[in-house]
mmCIF file of all heavy atoms in Angstrom:
data_model
loop_
_atom_site.group_PDB
_atom_site.id
_atom_site.type_symbol
_atom_site.label_atom_id
_atom_site.label_comp_id
_atom_site.label_asym_id
_atom_site.label_seq_id
_atom_site.Cartn_x
_atom_site.Cartn_y
_atom_site.Cartn_z
ATOM 1 N N ALA A 327 56.717 -101.261 65.707
ATOM 2 C CA ALA A 327 56.502 -102.716 65.760
ATOM 3 C C ALA A 327 57.318 -103.427 64.691
ATOM 4 O O ALA A 327 57.932 -104.475 64.931
ATOM 5 C CB ALA A 327 55.026 -103.030 65.587
ATOM 6 N N ARG A 328 57.370 -102.828 63.503
ATOM 7 C CA ARG A 328 58.162 -103.424 62.429
ATOM 8 C C ARG A 328 59.661 -103.410 62.786
ATOM 9 O O ARG A 328 60.367 -104.376 62.536
ATOM 10 C CB ARG A 328 57.939 -102.626 61.146
ATOM 11 C CG ARG A 328 58.428 -103.298 59.861
ATOM 12 C CD ARG A 328 58.007 -102.522 58.615
ATOM 13 N NE ARG A 328 56.562 -102.281 58.636
ATOM 14 C CZ ARG A 328 55.988 -101.073 58.699
ATOM 15 N NH1 ARG A 328 56.747 -99.978 58.747
ATOM 16 N NH2 ARG A 328 54.685 -100.941 58.690
ATOM 17 N N GLY A 329 60.097 -102.321 63.387
ATOM 18 C CA GLY A 329 61.489 -102.237 63.796
ATOM 19 C C GLY A 329 61.858 -103.255 64.864
ATOM 20 O O GLY A 329 62.961 -103.814 64.856
ATOM 21 N N ILE A 330 60.923 -103.481 65.800
ATOM 22 C CA ILE A 330 61.158 -104.479 66.842
ATOM 23 C C ILE A 330 61.309 -105.879 66.237
ATOM 24 O O ILE A 330 62.227 -106.626 66.612
ATOM 25 C CB ILE A 330 59.988 -104.455 67.871
ATOM 26 C CG1 ILE A 330 60.030 -103.164 68.690
ATOM 27 C CG2 ILE A 330 60.038 -105.683 68.797
ATOM 28 C CD1 ILE A 330 58.795 -102.946 69.554
ATOM 29 N N VAL A 331 60.438 -106.217 65.332
ATOM 30 C CA VAL A 331 60.484 -107.547 64.718
ATOM 31 C C VAL A 331 61.781 -107.719 63.935
ATOM 32 O O VAL A 331 62.424 -108.805 63.978
ATOM 33 C CB VAL A 331 59.259 -107.759 63.807
ATOM 34 C CG1 VAL A 331 59.403 -109.043 62.995
ATOM 35 C CG2 VAL A 331 57.983 -107.813 64.659
ATOM 36 N N ARG A 332 62.203 -106.696 63.245
ATOM 37 C CA ARG A 332 63.468 -106.783 62.490
ATOM 38 C C ARG A 332 64.664 -106.928 63.413
ATOM 39 O O ARG A 332 65.570 -107.727 63.181
ATOM 40 C CB ARG A 332 63.622 -105.519 61.633
ATOM 41 C CG ARG A 332 62.682 -105.470 60.433
ATOM 42 C CD ARG A 332 62.829 -104.143 59.692
ATOM 43 N NE ARG A 332 61.973 -104.092 58.514
ATOM 44 C CZ ARG A 332 61.745 -102.969 57.822
ATOM 45 N NH1 ARG A 332 62.319 -101.835 58.207
ATOM 46 N NH2 ARG A 332 60.984 -103.006 56.754
ATOM 47 N N ARG A 333 64.696 -106.139 64.478
ATOM 48 C CA ARG A 333 65.837 -106.172 65.389
ATOM 49 C C ARG A 333 65.920 -107.512 66.118
ATOM 50 O O ARG A 333 67.020 -108.048 66.283
ATOM 51 C CB ARG A 333 65.747 -105.032 66.401
ATOM 52 C CG ARG A 333 66.894 -104.990 67.389
ATOM 53 C CD ARG A 333 68.220 -104.637 66.740
ATOM 54 N NE ARG A 333 68.205 -103.286 66.215
ATOM 55 C CZ ARG A 333 68.551 -102.211 66.935
ATOM 56 N NH1 ARG A 333 68.944 -102.349 68.188
ATOM 57 N NH2 ARG A 333 68.504 -101.029 66.386
ATOM 58 N N ARG A 334 64.764 -108.043 66.556
ATOM 59 C CA ARG A 334 64.818 -109.293 67.305
ATOM 60 C C ARG A 334 65.227 -110.489 66.400
ATOM 61 O O ARG A 334 65.649 -111.530 66.929
ATOM 62 C CB ARG A 334 63.496 -109.569 67.987
ATOM 63 C CG ARG A 334 62.379 -110.100 67.097
ATOM 64 C CD ARG A 334 61.087 -110.207 67.834
ATOM 65 N NE ARG A 334 60.049 -110.822 66.995
ATOM 66 C CZ ARG A 334 58.741 -110.823 67.285
ATOM 67 N NH1 ARG A 334 58.310 -110.214 68.366
ATOM 68 N NH2 ARG A 334 57.882 -111.426 66.497
ATOM 69 N N ALA A 335 65.084 -110.338 65.111
ATOM 70 C CA ALA A 335 65.527 -111.390 64.198
ATOM 71 C C ALA A 335 67.078 -111.448 64.190
ATOM 72 O O ALA A 335 67.661 -112.483 63.870
ATOM 73 C CB ALA A 335 65.029 -111.138 62.781
ATOM 74 N N GLU A 336 67.702 -110.346 64.557
ATOM 75 C CA GLU A 336 69.167 -110.269 64.603
ATOM 76 C C GLU A 336 69.694 -110.660 65.989
ATOM 77 O O GLU A 336 70.681 -111.353 66.095
ATOM 78 C CB GLU A 336 69.637 -108.876 64.252
ATOM 79 C CG GLU A 336 69.188 -108.387 62.871
ATOM 80 C CD GLU A 336 69.456 -106.909 62.663
ATOM 81 O OE1 GLU A 336 70.024 -106.274 63.575
ATOM 82 O OE2 GLU A 336 69.114 -106.392 61.573
ATOM 83 N N GLN A 337 68.996 -110.192 67.026
ATOM 84 C CA GLN A 337 69.390 -110.503 68.405
ATOM 85 C C GLN A 337 68.213 -110.236 69.339
ATOM 86 O O GLN A 337 67.380 -109.356 69.067
ATOM 87 C CB GLN A 337 70.582 -109.661 68.841
ATOM 88 C CG GLN A 337 70.337 -108.178 68.897
ATOM 89 C CD GLN A 337 71.512 -107.371 69.395
ATOM 90 O OE1 GLN A 337 71.840 -106.355 68.829
ATOM 91 N NE2 GLN A 337 72.148 -107.832 70.448
ATOM 92 N N PRO A 338 68.087 -110.989 70.452
ATOM 93 C CA PRO A 338 66.971 -110.786 71.363
ATOM 94 C C PRO A 338 67.001 -109.375 71.961
ATOM 95 O O PRO A 338 68.066 -108.818 72.244
ATOM 96 C CB PRO A 338 67.229 -111.858 72.438
ATOM 97 C CG PRO A 338 68.117 -112.848 71.816
ATOM 98 C CD PRO A 338 68.983 -112.097 70.849
ATOM 99 N N LEU A 339 65.815 -108.810 72.138
ATOM 100 C CA LEU A 339 65.705 -107.513 72.812
ATOM 101 C C LEU A 339 65.529 -107.786 74.306
ATOM 102 O O LEU A 339 64.461 -108.184 74.764
ATOM 103 C CB LEU A 339 64.506 -106.735 72.259
ATOM 104 C CG LEU A 339 64.679 -106.175 70.848
ATOM 105 C CD1 LEU A 339 63.342 -105.653 70.331
ATOM 106 C CD2 LEU A 339 65.719 -105.061 70.843
ATOM 107 N N GLU A 340 66.565 -107.549 75.071
ATOM 108 C CA GLU A 340 66.553 -107.882 76.488
ATOM 109 C C GLU A 340 66.911 -106.691 77.389
ATOM 110 O O GLU A 340 66.820 -106.803 78.608
ATOM 111 C CB GLU A 340 67.546 -109.013 76.769
ATOM 112 C CG GLU A 340 67.191 -110.313 76.026
ATOM 113 C CD GLU A 340 68.218 -111.397 76.224
ATOM 114 O OE1 GLU A 340 69.386 -111.056 76.586
ATOM 115 O OE2 GLU A 340 67.913 -112.578 76.022
ATOM 116 N N ARG A 341 67.278 -105.551 76.785
ATOM 117 C CA ARG A 341 67.706 -104.392 77.569
ATOM 118 C C ARG A 341 66.870 -103.177 77.156
ATOM 119 O O ARG A 341 66.446 -103.037 76.016
ATOM 120 C CB ARG A 341 69.181 -104.074 77.314
ATOM 121 C CG ARG A 341 70.143 -105.234 77.502
ATOM 122 C CD ARG A 341 70.411 -105.517 78.949
ATOM 123 N NE ARG A 341 71.008 -104.401 79.644
ATOM 124 C CZ ARG A 341 71.368 -104.443 80.949
ATOM 125 N NH1 ARG A 341 71.170 -105.580 81.647
ATOM 126 N NH2 ARG A 341 71.882 -103.400 81.555
ATOM 127 N N THR A 342 66.644 -102.305 78.134
ATOM 128 C CA THR A 342 65.885 -101.073 77.844
ATOM 129 C C THR A 342 66.586 -100.222 76.800
ATOM 130 O O THR A 342 65.943 -99.591 75.969
ATOM 131 C CB THR A 342 65.671 -100.269 79.142
ATOM 132 O OG1 THR A 342 66.926 -99.957 79.726
ATOM 133 C CG2 THR A 342 64.824 -101.049 80.144
ATOM 134 N N GLY A 343 67.913 -100.195 76.869
ATOM 135 C CA GLY A 343 68.659 -99.390 75.897
ATOM 136 C C GLY A 343 68.468 -99.878 74.478
ATOM 137 O O GLY A 343 68.409 -99.075 73.541
ATOM 138 N N GLN A 344 68.363 -101.204 74.311
ATOM 139 C CA GLN A 344 68.111 -101.743 72.977
ATOM 140 C C GLN A 344 66.765 -101.281 72.449
ATOM 141 O O GLN A 344 66.632 -100.902 71.268
ATOM 142 C CB GLN A 344 68.125 -103.279 73.024
ATOM 143 C CG GLN A 344 69.494 -103.903 73.274
ATOM 144 C CD GLN A 344 69.369 -105.403 73.407
ATOM 145 O OE1 GLN A 344 68.751 -105.920 74.349
ATOM 146 N NE2 GLN A 344 69.925 -106.116 72.431
ATOM 147 N N LEU A 345 65.747 -101.284 73.301
ATOM 148 C CA LEU A 345 64.424 -100.872 72.865
ATOM 149 C C LEU A 345 64.418 -99.392 72.506
ATOM 150 O O LEU A 345 63.798 -98.960 71.515
ATOM 151 C CB LEU A 345 63.375 -101.164 73.953
ATOM 152 C CG LEU A 345 61.951 -100.753 73.636
ATOM 153 C CD1 LEU A 345 61.451 -101.412 72.335
ATOM 154 C CD2 LEU A 345 61.025 -101.100 74.812
ATOM 155 N N VAL A 346 65.074 -98.574 73.307
ATOM 156 C CA VAL A 346 65.147 -97.134 73.013
ATOM 157 C C VAL A 346 65.805 -96.912 71.638
ATOM 158 O O VAL A 346 65.345 -96.093 70.850
ATOM 159 C CB VAL A 346 65.928 -96.391 74.117
ATOM 160 C CG1 VAL A 346 66.237 -94.958 73.684
ATOM 161 C CG2 VAL A 346 65.145 -96.388 75.419
ATOM 162 N N ASP A 347 66.865 -97.690 71.363
ATOM 163 C CA ASP A 347 67.533 -97.544 70.055
ATOM 164 C C ASP A 347 66.587 -97.877 68.916
ATOM 165 O O ASP A 347 66.580 -97.219 67.878
ATOM 166 C CB ASP A 347 68.752 -98.459 70.011
ATOM 167 C CG ASP A 347 69.886 -97.969 70.901
ATOM 168 O OD1 ASP A 347 69.870 -96.792 71.291
ATOM 169 O OD2 ASP A 347 70.787 -98.775 71.219
ATOM 170 N N VAL A 348 65.780 -98.949 69.102
ATOM 171 C CA VAL A 348 64.835 -99.357 68.058
ATOM 172 C C VAL A 348 63.800 -98.241 67.828
ATOM 173 O O VAL A 348 63.463 -97.909 66.684
ATOM 174 C CB VAL A 348 64.126 -100.672 68.441
ATOM 175 C CG1 VAL A 348 62.973 -100.956 67.473
ATOM 176 C CG2 VAL A 348 65.119 -101.819 68.447
ATOM 177 N N VAL A 349 63.302 -97.668 68.903
ATOM 178 C CA VAL A 349 62.300 -96.605 68.783
ATOM 179 C C VAL A 349 62.888 -95.417 68.031
ATOM 180 O O VAL A 349 62.273 -94.895 67.099
ATOM 181 C CB VAL A 349 61.791 -96.180 70.167
ATOM 182 C CG1 VAL A 349 60.880 -94.952 70.037
ATOM 183 C CG2 VAL A 349 61.042 -97.300 70.851
ATOM 184 N N ARG A 350 64.077 -95.014 68.426
ATOM 185 C CA ARG A 350 64.692 -93.854 67.753
ATOM 186 C C ARG A 350 64.906 -94.112 66.251
ATOM 187 O O ARG A 350 64.724 -93.208 65.435
ATOM 188 C CB ARG A 350 66.026 -93.559 68.432
ATOM 189 C CG ARG A 350 65.924 -92.959 69.828
ATOM 190 C CD ARG A 350 67.304 -92.554 70.329
ATOM 191 N NE ARG A 350 67.276 -92.076 71.706
ATOM 192 C CZ ARG A 350 66.984 -90.837 72.058
ATOM 193 N NH1 ARG A 350 66.660 -89.946 71.124
ATOM 194 N NH2 ARG A 350 66.981 -90.484 73.334
ATOM 195 N N ALA A 351 65.305 -95.341 65.939
ATOM 196 C CA ALA A 351 65.574 -95.671 64.550
ATOM 197 C C ALA A 351 64.326 -95.835 63.715
ATOM 198 O O ALA A 351 64.377 -95.768 62.472
ATOM 199 C CB ALA A 351 66.414 -96.950 64.479
#
Side-chain angles (χ1 to χ4, degrees):
R328 193 174 308 117
I330 290 170
V331 171
R332 288 174 177 170
R333 180 67 66 89
R334 78 185 186 193
E336 302 170 1
Q337 64 177 135
L339 288 170
E340 298 176 341
R341 308 283 299 182
T342 57
Q344 291 176 294
L345 179 57
V346 170
D347 289 342
V348 171
V349 173
R350 289 186 184 277

